[in-house]
Amino acid sequence: MPGQPLGGGGGEGDAGDVRAVDSSYGAEKGETYAGREREMTGVITRGGVLAALPADHLDPLMNLAREVSFPAGVRIIEEGSRADRFWVIRSGSVALDIRVPGRRAATVEEIGAGELLGWSWLLPPRHWHLGAEAESEVWAYEFDGPAVRALCEKDPVLGMALAIEVADAIAQRLMASRTRLLDLYGPNGSGPKW
């Protein structure tokens, strides 16, 4: 239901003011993702994490998705809290930030449509390594981490493809964090020279 807050009571690791748009891809009606109109086809075909996954393995993953939205300014992820879900951004932008002792959080990267928000759900200890805040209204597909891990165990082709996408996101976030922190706090000229 649009505009309805999700359950969970705002406990540790819960996203901020998240609104469920549709609890899943028609699961209550017996529909599957494959059986519905693919209004999100553009997100898949434009690139991003969903485009990189094998098409014949995408339907089971998308059957676990639910559409959510976040108003601008809402904290989606608090660094250090429990990581039990992830999102693929449909529209809007999200600022990723890192806590810096004695200073306010430093934005290290902005992500948008088609990009993966959250990778810590996959790897122990399953706590967020960065924070995230909606820069504008964000619409996203939300996935339950434990359910996706179970699906990946059953479907190793999907599991490997998703692991590669997560590894790519980790590498990008690591480089962005390093570069941003050197820009902010490193000696002049200490950033990458490429």
Side-chain angles (χ1 to χ4, degrees):
M1 288 184 227
Q4 295 295 314
L6 296 177
E12 183 181 33
D14 287 341
D17 183 16
V18 63
R19 292 176 271 173
V21 176
D22 182 16
S23 61
S24 68
Y25 281 97
E28 312 83 43
K29 302 175 204 119
E31 294 178 278
T32 64
Y33 164 74
R36 292 192 59 195
E37 282 188 47
R38 295 185 181 208
E39 104 281 322
M40 52 74 76
T41 299
V43 174
I44 293 175
T45 58
R46 277 195 309 264
V49 65
L50 296 177
L53 299 177
D56 54 335
H57 296 264
L58 189 59
D59 286 346
L61 177 65
M62 291 309 298
N63 284 331
L64 298 176
R66 69 177 183 165
E67 296 178 73
V68 297
S69 68
F70 301 95
V74 166
R75 293 290 297 169
I76 301 169
I77 297 173
E78 286 297 335
E79 183 181 347
S81 64
R82 181 176 48 92
D84 61 357
R85 66 190 88 177
F86 67 98
W87 301 265
V88 175
I89 306 300
R90 290 180 54 208
S91 66
S93 63
V94 176
L96 304 177
D97 55 43
I98 189 166
R99 285 190 226 147
V100 179
R103 299 175 188 247
R104 63 180 195 157
T107 298
V108 294
E109 185 176 10
E110 284 191 20
I111 61 171
E115 293 189 83
L116 176 69
L117 172 57
W119 55 264
S120 301
W121 61 274
L122 185 60
L123 305 168
R126 297 191 178 92
H127 287 92
W128 296 118
H129 294 271
L130 296 173
E133 184 171 311
E135 291 283 292
S136 62
E137 183 173 31
V138 172
W139 292 83
Y141 297 107
E142 182 179 82
F143 297 86
D144 177 72
V148 173
R149 287 193 305 271
L151 177 62
C152 289
E153 286 180 19
K154 288 188 234 172
D155 183 348
V157 172
L158 174 65
M160 178 58 95
L162 195 53
I164 288 169
E165 289 305 305
V166 168
D168 184 56
I170 293 170
Q172 288 177 26
R173 308 276 153 77
L174 180 61
M175 183 55 75
S177 297
R178 177 181 179 267
T179 301
R180 180 68 174 139
L181 292 175
L182 283 172
D183 284 347
L184 291 173
Y185 308 113
N188 192 17
S190 61
K193 296 174 178 40
W194 24 70

